[in-house]
């Protein structure tokens, strides 16, 4: 049985995992599976309309230009390799609500609307306004999961999905509501030392990030595309540096 806590910033007492009778249960499992399948089926590279908009070696961002009724909804994909952190750590910090404002540079504020279980909550992000467009917000469930190897080829990974939803306690009355389907998927590569324990020097995290965002109403395409081109690489750099910094003196969370 879920317990409802409004405006909470820390994890309250709630069910360990989401009940199969919860209205979001199927949607969450479907979204996780479709992201994992997509990751296995489609390598992140420049083909089929995908173009690289940032190449910094260890960090690459791709987009595919797409419009719906004149509104740009370009899907974004990024790959990033970072030494010294695990996929579990990266996903834990991407999902954790209490530290979101420490790495999110494009938000005015955010709050938890409802905790659904130990691994899932609904939150509201209010995004900084970009002139001349109206201010936006987003309402989404956020779910974290460890996925064990499905077979010999399949990856062992951690995944977080942030997926737009509705909630009676957070109606879209004040801002234009964006909708999104965002996933962060991480694999950990371990190169064991010849002798001794595994340290942070022996681990590398391979991150795949995908974002399908609909800005929810008119937005000037050229401004939006320029903001994305600047902000997505910045977000990945800033966020992964944040995780490196937060974990450097902590035991490795495998
Ligand atoms: O995935 C990220 N964060 C998650 C946790 O918060 C979550 C959020 C995803 C929202 C993603 C997209 C927002 C798009 C907003 C469109 C706004 C339209 C404005 C009209 C412009 C003409 O999953 C990390 C997300 C990293 C997002 C990078 C792109 C964000 C663009 C936001 C625009 C606001 C920029 C303000 C810049 C001011 C900087 C000082």
């Amino acid at each position: 049985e879920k317990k409802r806590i409004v405006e909470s910033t820390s994890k309250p007492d709630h069910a360990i995992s989401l009940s199969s009778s919860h209205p979001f249960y199927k949607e969450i499992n479907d979204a996780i599976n479709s992201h994992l399948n997509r990751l296995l089926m489609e390598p992140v590279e420049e083909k089929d309309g995908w173009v690289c908009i940032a190449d910094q070696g260890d960090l690459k961002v791709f987009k595919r230009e797409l419009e719906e009724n004149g509104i740009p909804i370009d899907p974004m994909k990024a790959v990033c390799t970072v030494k010294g952190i695990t996929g579990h750590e990266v996903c834990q910090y991407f999902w954790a609500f209490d530290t979101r404002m420490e790495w999110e540079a494009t938000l005015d504020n955010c709050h938890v609307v409802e905790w659904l279980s130990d691994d899932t909550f609904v939150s509201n992000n209010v995004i900084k306004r970009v002139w001349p467009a109206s201010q936006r917000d987003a309402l989404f469930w956020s779910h974290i999961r460890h996925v064990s190897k499905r077979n010999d080829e399949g990856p062992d990974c951690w995944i977080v999905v942030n997926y737009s939803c509705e909630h009676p306690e957070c109606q879209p009355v004040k801002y234009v509501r964006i909708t999104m389907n965002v996933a962060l998927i991480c694999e950990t590569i371990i190169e064991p030392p010849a002798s001794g324990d595994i340290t942070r020097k022996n681990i590398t995290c391979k991150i795949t990030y995908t974002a399908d965002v609909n800005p929810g109403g008119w937005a000037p395409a050229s401004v939006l595309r320029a903001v994305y081109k600047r902000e997505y690489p910045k977000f990945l750099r800033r966020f992964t540096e944040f995780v490196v910094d937060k974990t450097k003196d902590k035991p490795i969370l495998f």
Side-chain angles (χ1 to χ4, degrees), residues 46-63:
E46 213 163 30
K47 66 165 197 189
D48 301 334
W50 287 93
V51 287
C52 184
I53 55 167
D55 184 350
Q56 303 173 0
D58 56 338
L59 162 61
K60 291 187 174 68
V61 180
F62 300 82
K63 73 159 182 192

Side-chain angles (χ1 to χ4, degrees), residues 165-191:
C165 63
E166 291 177 10
H167 195 287
E169 276 154 39
C170 191
Q171 307 275 11
V173 285
K174 210 167 160 197
Y175 308 105
V176 173
R177 179 137 307 165
I178 68 159
T179 52
M180 66 188 200
N181 178 2
V182 171
L184 185 84
I185 304 175
C186 298
E187 291 165 69
T188 309
I189 297 145
I190 303 172
E191 288 175 283

Side-chain angles (χ1 to χ4, degrees), residues 94 100 103-107 125 127-134 136 138 140 162 178 180 182 209 211 213-215 218-221 223-224 227-228 230-232 234-235:
F94 185 67
R100 187 181 289 167
W103 57 267
E104 268 284 20
T106 60
L107 299 187
N125 274 358
I127 301 156
K128 283 183 178 164
R129 183 169 179 239
V130 183
W131 186 90
S134 333
R136 276 30 188 201
F140 54 99
N162 291 339
I178 68 159
M180 66 188 200
V182 171
Y209 174 86
V213 176
N214 186 322
W218 178 82
V223 179
L224 192 69
V227 172
Y228 283 178
R230 185 187 67 209
E231 296 299 329
Y232 279 101
K234 221 162 114 182
F235 140 63

